[in-house]
Amino acid sequence: MQGGEMEKTKINDILTYDFYSSLEISNDEKYLAFLKTNADLDENKYNSYLYLFDIEKNKKYKVSDNKNIGIFIFDENDNLIYKEKSDDKFDYFYKKDKSMGVGSLEFKIDKNVSYIKDLKNGYYLIKASDKLSEDERKKQKENSFYKEVTKLPFWFNGTGYINNQKQSLYLFKKEDKSLQKIRNFENESLNAFAINKNANKLALVLGKNDNKVSRLRDDLVILDLENKEEKIIIENEFSYYDLFFNDKDEIIFVASDMRKGGINEDAFIYKTNLTGEYKKISPDDFDKSFGNSIGSDARYEAYRTFFYKNNKFYFVVTEKEESKLYSLDENENIKLEISGCVEDFAIANDNIYYFAMTENRISHLKEKKNNKILLDNKINSSLGKIEEFFYESNGDKIRGFVLLPVDFDKNKKYPTILSIHGGPKTEFSNIFHHEHQVFANDGYIIIYTNPHGSSGNGIKYSDIRGKYGTIDYEDLMNFTDLAIKKYPQIDENNMGVYGGSYGGFMTNWIVSHTNRFKAANSQRSISNWTSFYGVSDIGYYFAPDQTGANPWDNLEKMWEQSPIKHAKNVKTPTMFIHSDEDYRCPLEQGLQMYTRIKENGVDTKMYIFHGENHELSRSGKPKARIKRLEKIKEWFDGYLK
């Protein structure tokens, strides 16, 4: 793990990593399909290639030279069907059979297809939007100098201003290549859907709006494909994660009613019949965070969280500092299937194939049955050692992490950085984190923890509504104090602090309330809850929910929880990083904090990345990601070394 003959982990190493994702398995269970994504510095983008993995031969091979494949499935005959290309008129789907030959055109559809499922009855279920006509494209270009805003939210991070392009569900008949529309979704959003085993009923999760303001709770609708009748069976009750039909035409769904812990409340598993009589089927004490919320800057593309097969419901939860795969059988018995850090999975009849991450491997392919690595993905540069300890804070036992420098010498002092994750309902663990290791390879200690508000410890732990900057701040300071005591190698006179999103908020808060850090870096942050309310894509509901206040009824409470109120106290040199297309924590949030600190006469600067959004540090364009980390390191090197 440490030092030796290996080369150091460097900033540009992010260009060399293979990111595996989107795992699928053929019906005969002989093949796996997945995406391999790599950064391309010359073109300043990411290339995603489609691969097949022959399980028996333990061999992978590339299916297509297309650099941007995102949609693919196995059909009922175990052929791989994938969207090879798209133009102004058609989406082109190719078929790759079991031979070593190249794929060939299977069919084309005159829509923008975003989802396809083989129904194994001669039909595909397709989700798509219309292609724009030549006149529509021309008109769109002519009118590109302005936007009409009529909805809330009016933009989404990573998407931009919301347009009125309608999504629809279709049945595509393989025999004659005909397309039959099932339903339009206008003035509502299709947030999740499932089709039953007989392919005659659809369950739809519909996001509705009140006066063009999106509701936080959805409607669950049953659509009978034979008689076209539609019925709301659960109305405005839950926010849904996903749903599946079981073999009895009951619906298994994961949802939160948000009544106990607000919008960040952990969800539970429910079952309902077709009339909407539902019950919770996961235990009350199974208080887990669904999905993998463990932070890393070394992954890309989508990962599966839920799946239903052979009368079992499979799901990933974040529990403590692991992302685990569980199953729930038809008798409502929960079983732990896989521990560690599960990134993605595919279910076979007597095995589970999955991508995992560890401290020295990014997403790599494993099988559960023999606990064997099938496709390795080990980091080949030197890595600092991660140590752990527990500490007590605000009535809970919390895990802390200390990443030691490569070639660590216990008799030396090292500059140290406190790293704070985003969220707040995410978390850090001991899995590989590229930028942390870049610092560890250049003589830094990195310390990090999961304060109250983080995921993996239940609703009570993650619920810090109205408490931002109080117990979470105390946790971080208590952790830092104990880390210094346990590791005398930490140079407490040369400490920095940094983080993004919630981590940026907390960095803003910390430098407004203590001078113990010699330098700080705040990224994609919140500084002012009162303005965040009206400009963020989630602001109108996230800000009131998380602060327990709004700008009209209890302005002072919202203002008190805003770092900008306290920014006159800042004496810590602080660098800001923001993206001008960040619609989650918009640019003005960073600018406000920068302006006040500049007026304080404190050294500060700001880097604004054009064309990037809230995901800059994780999936931003390669040149921007590299420049970002270069500037962060340059800033801390200037003050801590």
Side-chain angles (χ1 to χ4, degrees):
M1 283 280 293
Q2 277 189 277
E5 301 293 325
M6 302 179 80
E7 290 192 11
K8 288 186 174 182
T9 299
K10 301 180 292 293
I11 292 175
N12 279 33
D13 285 355
I14 200 74
L15 303 173
T16 68
Y17 298 151
D18 292 334
F19 304 117
Y20 298 136
S21 65
S22 306
L23 190 63
E24 299 287 346
I25 189 168
S26 60
N27 297 297
D28 63 6
E29 302 182 358
K30 293 182 178 180
Y31 294 90
L32 298 167
F34 60 91
L35 295 178
K36 182 175 81 73
T37 301
N38 304 95
D40 185 331
L41 186 63
D42 292 335
E43 296 189 26
N44 198 27
K45 66 184 188 70
Y46 296 88
N47 298 326
S48 291
Y49 293 100
L50 179 59
Y51 275 76
L52 275 175
F53 184 84
D54 187 318
I55 295 173
E56 185 178 328
K57 296 179 180 178
N58 200 44
K59 181 180 179 182
K60 78 176 193 298
Y61 56 94
K62 189 163 64 173
V63 172
S64 169
D65 288 327
N66 187 319
K67 299 178 181 179
N68 193 32
I69 290 179
I71 299 176
F72 60 93
I73 58 168
F74 285 102
D75 69 11
E76 60 184 325
N77 299 313
D78 297 311
N79 300 306
L80 190 61
I81 306 295
Y82 56 98
K83 186 162 80 170
E84 170 70 16
K85 57 184 178 178
S86 180
D87 59 29
D88 291 337
K89 293 185 176 181
F90 294 98
D91 281 6
Y92 300 85
F93 285 83
Y94 279 51
K95 180 178 77 173
K96 172 71 179 69
D97 59 22
K98 298 176 183 178
S99 72
M100 294 301 292
V102 297
S104 59
L105 180 66
E106 178 72 355
F107 53 83
K108 58 184 181 180
I109 299 175
D110 62 344
K111 305 288 178 186
N112 294 309
V113 179
S114 57
Y115 172 90
I116 184 169
K117 176 182 176 66
D118 187 2
L119 300 180
K120 299 181 175 64
N121 62 357
Y123 288 89
Y124 289 102
L125 178 64
I126 285 173
K127 180 184 176 185
S129 61
D130 291 337
K131 299 273 188 183
L132 295 180
S133 67
E134 187 175 347
D135 287 344
E136 287 171 326
R137 292 194 301 274
K138 183 178 179 182
K139 185 177 180 181
Q140 188 180 68
K141 185 176 181 181
E142 289 174 349
N143 293 331
S144 62
F145 64 93
Y146 75 95
K147 298 286 184 186
E148 180 184 29
V149 174
T150 62
K151 299 178 179 179
L152 189 62
F154 44 85
W155 57 21
F156 281 130
N157 184 68
T159 302
Y161 285 95
I162 298 170
N163 58 36
N164 293 314
Q165 193 173 37
K166 295 188 293 289
Q167 292 280 340
S168 300
L169 286 177
Y170 298 88
L171 286 176
F172 179 75
K173 191 175 181 179
K174 289 189 279 188
E175 184 180 9
D176 60 7
K177 308 295 189 286
S178 62
L179 201 61
Q180 174 190 344
K181 183 179 287 185
I182 298 173
R183 192 189 191 281
N184 276 334
F185 300 93
E186 191 170 6
N187 297 320
E188 59 190 1
S189 58
L190 178 60
N191 295 336
F193 59 96
I195 192 164
N196 67 343
K197 189 175 182 180
N198 295 326
N200 61 5
K201 289 183 178 64
L202 276 171
L204 311 172
V205 174
L206 300 184
K208 300 292 184 68
N209 63 80
D210 299 315
N211 299 318
K212 296 191 175 182
V213 177
S214 293
R215 291 190 332 211
L216 299 184
R217 294 179 176 88
D218 308 313
D219 290 348
L220 179 55
V221 174
I222 298 298
L223 175 59
D224 191 309
L225 295 177
E226 294 175 345
N227 60 26
K228 310 303 180 187
E229 290 183 357
E230 183 176 307
K231 181 182 179 183
I232 299 174
I233 63 168
I234 302 176
E235 185 174 9
N236 199 20
E237 181 71 19
F238 293 104
S239 174
Y240 295 80
Y241 286 52
D242 211 342
L243 74 168
F244 299 84
F245 277 97
N246 65 18
D247 292 343
K248 299 175 183 177
D249 264 5
E250 299 167 318
I251 299 168
I252 310 296
F253 65 92
V254 179
S256 168
D257 62 14
M258 300 181 288
R259 289 186 169 86
K260 186 177 179 181
I263 60 172
N264 277 341
E265 181 178 320
D266 290 338
F268 289 91
I269 306 171
Y270 296 83
K271 180 168 68 175
T272 182
N273 59 22
L274 297 181
T275 63
E277 296 171 337
Y278 66 85
K279 68 171 184 174
K280 185 164 64 175
I281 59 174
S282 55
D284 289 341
D285 61 356
F286 194 77
D287 185 5
K288 316 292 182 187
S289 179
F290 283 87
N292 180 350
S293 56
I294 298 174
S296 174
D297 57 356
R299 57 164 69 100
Y300 198 83
E301 291 290 352
Y303 297 94
R304 174 180 283 115
T305 299
F306 307 104
F307 196 69
Y308 188 87
K309 183 175 181 177
N310 296 338
N311 297 313
K312 275 189 177 182
F313 178 55
Y314 296 86
F315 53 94
V316 173
V317 297
T318 300
E319 181 181 348
K320 299 301 182 182
E321 285 76 26
E322 297 182 71
S323 57
K324 300 178 179 180
L325 180 65
Y326 281 87
S327 66
L328 176 72
D329 67 20
E330 56 188 338
N331 295 317
E332 302 174 11
N333 298 310
I334 288 181
K335 176 185 176 184
L336 174 62
E337 299 284 354
I338 301 170
S339 295
C341 182
V342 177
E343 295 283 294
D344 200 355
F345 64 94
I347 304 297
N349 287 325
D350 64 348
N351 207 350
I352 300 175
Y353 299 92
Y354 64 103
F355 288 135
M357 282 186 73
T358 64
E359 72 279 2
N360 64 345
R361 285 178 168 87
I362 57 177
S363 187
H364 56 288
L365 181 62
K366 297 187 71 175
E367 60 160 335
K368 178 190 175 185
K369 195 173 184 178
N370 300 306
N371 192 28
K372 179 182 177 183
I373 294 177
L374 303 178
L375 182 61
D376 207 353
N377 202 2
K378 191 173 183 179
I379 300 298
N380 292 316
S381 54
S382 59
L383 302 177
K385 182 183 178 184
I386 300 172
E387 297 187 350
E388 304 174 7
F389 65 86
F390 286 93
Y391 63 102
E392 297 282 341
S393 185
N394 286 298
D396 284 299
K397 188 177 181 181
I398 306 175
R399 191 190 307 264
F401 298 87
V402 177
L403 170 59
L404 300 174
V406 171
D407 299 325
F408 174 69
D409 185 340
K410 66 180 182 179
N411 297 311
K412 290 184 178 180
K413 290 277 189 179
Y414 294 92
T416 299
I417 299 174
L418 170 64
S419 178
I420 308 170
H421 64 65
K425 200 183 173 188
T426 65
E427 65 171 30
F428 279 138
S429 77
N430 62 357
I431 65 170
F432 178 76
H433 200 286
H434 169 250
E435 70 180 54
H436 285 177
Q437 289 291 348
V438 167
F439 279 107
N441 274 261
D442 198 36
Y444 284 87
I445 292 174
I446 303 293
I447 61 174
Y448 51 97
T449 188
N450 297 310
H452 282 86
S454 303
S455 61
N457 291 281
I459 294 172
K460 184 179 178 182
Y461 189 88
S462 65
D463 185 6
I464 57 169
R465 290 175 298 166
K467 301 176 184 177
Y468 276 63
T470 60
I471 61 172
D472 48 354
Y473 173 70
E474 292 166 7
D475 291 345
L476 290 165
M477 294 304 98
N478 291 339
F479 164 67
T480 301
D481 291 341
L482 189 54
I484 292 169
K485 288 181 181 178
K486 284 183 169 292
Y487 292 86
Q489 298 82 13
I490 291 175
D491 185 350
E492 59 181 309
N493 295 315
N494 280 295
M495 295 188 67
V497 58
Y498 85 139
S501 196
Y502 164 76
F505 164 88
M506 187 48 65
T507 299
N508 293 341
W509 188 269
I510 286 171
V511 297
S512 303
H513 288 78
T514 180
N515 299 321
R516 74 184 300 175
F517 296 97
K518 198 171 182 180
N521 169 226
S522 174
Q523 306 165 51
R524 52 196 176 96
S525 68
I526 295 174
S527 66
N528 185 343
W529 286 108
T530 66
S531 61
F532 176 86
Y533 166 89
V535 294
S536 168
D537 59 353
I538 62 173
Y540 70 98
Y541 61 87
F542 188 83
D545 180 81
Q546 293 296 287
T547 63
N550 66 61
W552 295 275
D553 299 322
N554 28 34
L555 174 63
E556 187 55 40
K557 183 177 180 181
M558 184 174 266
W559 181 238
E560 180 62 35
Q561 295 175 72
S562 301
I564 191 66
K565 180 194 174 181
H566 313 280
K568 64 182 179 180
N569 303 322
V570 176
K571 294 182 175 62
T572 304
T574 305
M575 181 182 76
F576 295 89
I577 289 177
H578 233 107
S579 300
D580 61 8
E581 293 183 13
D582 186 340
Y583 303 134
R584 183 62 39 82
C585 297
L587 175 60
E588 58 89 19
Q589 292 289 304
L591 287 169
Q592 288 188 54
M593 201 72 183
Y594 165 81
T595 299
R596 177 65 246 200
I597 296 177
K598 200 73 173 175
E599 286 190 317
N600 290 356
V602 175
D603 188 17
T604 184
K605 65 171 62 175
M606 187 170 190
Y607 290 97
I608 300 170
F609 286 84
H610 298 305
E612 297 294 339
N613 60 51
H614 197 66
E615 300 304 308
L616 169 63
S617 64
R618 297 177 286 239
S619 59
K621 290 184 281 294
K623 288 181 180 179
R625 288 182 71 178
I626 289 170
K627 181 61 67 177
R628 167 193 166 273
L629 190 47
E630 286 176 345
K631 291 304 178 183
I632 293 172
K633 191 164 182 310
E634 182 181 289
W635 181 257
F636 282 126
D637 284 351
Y639 277 97
L640 305 185
K641 284 192 167 185

